[in-house]
Amino acid sequence: GQGVEQPAKLMSVEGTFARVNCTYSTSGFNGLSWYQQREGQAPVFLSYVVLDGLKDSGHFSTFLSRSNGYSYLLLTELQIKDSASYLCAVRSYGSSGNKLIFGIGTLLSVKP
Amino acid sequence: NAGVIQTPRHKVTGKGQEATLWCEPISGHSAVFWYRQTIVQGLEFLTYFRNQAPIDDSGMPKERFSAQMPNQSHSTLKIQSTQPQDSAVYLCASSLQGSQNTLYFGAGTRLSVL
C-alpha cells in the first residue's frame, strides 16, 4: 500500500539545526514535497525533490533516497519562528491522476 | 493575488444537518484539491478536479460527501447528515497544471458538528 511516516515531535535549540525525517512507500514514485504549517494556518510549500541527493536551499535543505523510501528536511541556524509543523507529502503515479499523500506532520519546537 | 479563498472560516452544525463549504482557487490554476485535517489523521485527501472535471474522489466518504466544480472560479464540498466524526478543518488547495507538487492552500473551514 501507500503511506508516509514521520515522527510526531522534534525539539531543538535556537542557532543549531533540526532534521525532520520522512519515510514513504508508494507504488509509483513521482516526487516528494515538504510543507510548513504554523498553528492555525494553512500549509505552505517549502521544497520539492524527485531525484536522489541533497538539494540545498539555504535555510532549508532536502535529501532524498528513492531506493530507501526516505527523505529529510534539514533546517539550519534555527530561529524561534521555525517552530511549526513540517509535512512530508509524496506524489505517486496512478490512473487517477497523481494525488499528494501527506504524512501526519512533525511538530518542531525550537527552544532558546 | 488573493490566494485560495475558503468560506466560511468556521461552521457549526447540529448532528444530521447539511454543511456546504466553498472554495475559490487562484485564478489560472487548473487543479483543485480538497483535504481534511484532524489531529489524529493529519491531512487526508478527499477529492481532486482538473479543468473542472472530477479526476479522483477516492478519499470521499461516498454516502454523505459530494463535491462539485461548476466553473473554474469555485468548487463546493457538501456534507449531508453531518456526524460528529466529520468535525475537522477542511482545506482546499489549487495548483497550476504540471506543478501539482506545489499546492497553494486556503486557510480552511473549521467544521464543528455538535
Side-chain angles (χ1 to χ4, degrees):
Chain A
Q2 299 183 102
V4 181
E5 301 289 334
Q6 301 180 241
K9 294 182 179 180
L10 181 64
M11 193 177 297
S12 192
V13 177
E14 186 180 19
T16 67
F17 69 95
R19 190 177 77 186
V20 184
N21 295 318
C22 172
T23 58
Y24 65 89
S25 61
T26 180
S27 55
F29 180 78
N30 190 21
L32 184 146
S33 303
W34 286 94
Y35 287 76
Q36 178 191 64
Q37 187 175 26
R38 300 188 186 280
E39 180 74 25
Q41 298 183 24
V44 175
F45 173 80
L46 291 178
S47 178
Y48 164 68
V49 285
V50 67
L51 299 176
D52 288 348
L54 183 67
K55 179 179 178 182
D56 187 354
S57 303
H59 184 50
F60 300 103
S61 298
T62 49
F63 172 83
L64 177 67
S65 170
R66 289 173 294 173
S67 61
N68 292 310
Y70 170 68
S71 174
Y72 67 72
L73 175 71
L74 179 69
L75 297 89
T76 56
E77 298 183 21
L78 284 171
Q79 303 175 47
I80 302 295
K81 68 178 182 179
D82 290 323
S83 297
S85 185
Y86 291 87
L87 302 164
C88 174
V90 172
R91 185 178 172 203
S92 61
Y93 284 111
S95 59
S96 55
N98 304 331
K99 63 193 177 194
L100 273 182
I101 304 298
F102 283 83
I104 201 161
T106 297
L107 182 61
L108 172 64
S109 298
V110 180
K111 305 296 184 185
Chain B
N1 189 339
V4 175
I5 299 172
Q6 289 189 251
T7 54
R9 288 297 311 276
H10 303 274
K11 185 166 183 68
V12 180
T13 66
K15 183 178 174 181
Q17 292 183 329
E18 181 178 289
T20 300
L21 313 180
W22 297 75
C23 170
E24 180 180 329
I26 293 173
S27 178
H29 282 195
S30 58
V32 173
F33 301 80
W34 284 95
Y35 285 84
R36 71 177 170 186
Q37 188 172 33
T38 60
I39 293 174
V40 174
Q41 299 291 338
L43 264 170
E44 296 179 279
F45 170 81
L46 293 175
T47 189
Y48 153 47
F49 295 86
R50 186 171 63 220
N51 294 321
Q52 300 171 233
I55 302 299
D56 183 350
D57 66 354
S58 58
M60 295 276 273
K62 292 291 187 280
E63 294 174 350
R64 299 182 295 107
F65 284 58
S66 62
Q68 294 184 333
M69 191 161 184
N71 57 61
Q72 64 184 7
S73 64
H74 92 271
S75 175
T76 58
L77 179 68
K78 183 180 291 185
I79 308 172
Q80 294 178 311
S81 186
T82 54
Q83 303 296 309
Q85 61 265 32
D86 298 331
S87 297
V89 176
Y90 288 81
L91 290 161
C92 176
S94 69
S95 72
L96 288 166
Q97 180 66 23
S99 299
Q100 291 171 36
N101 285 290
T102 308
L103 300 186
Y104 294 83
F105 283 88
T109 295
R110 181 175 294 278
L111 175 67
S112 299
V113 182
L114 306 179

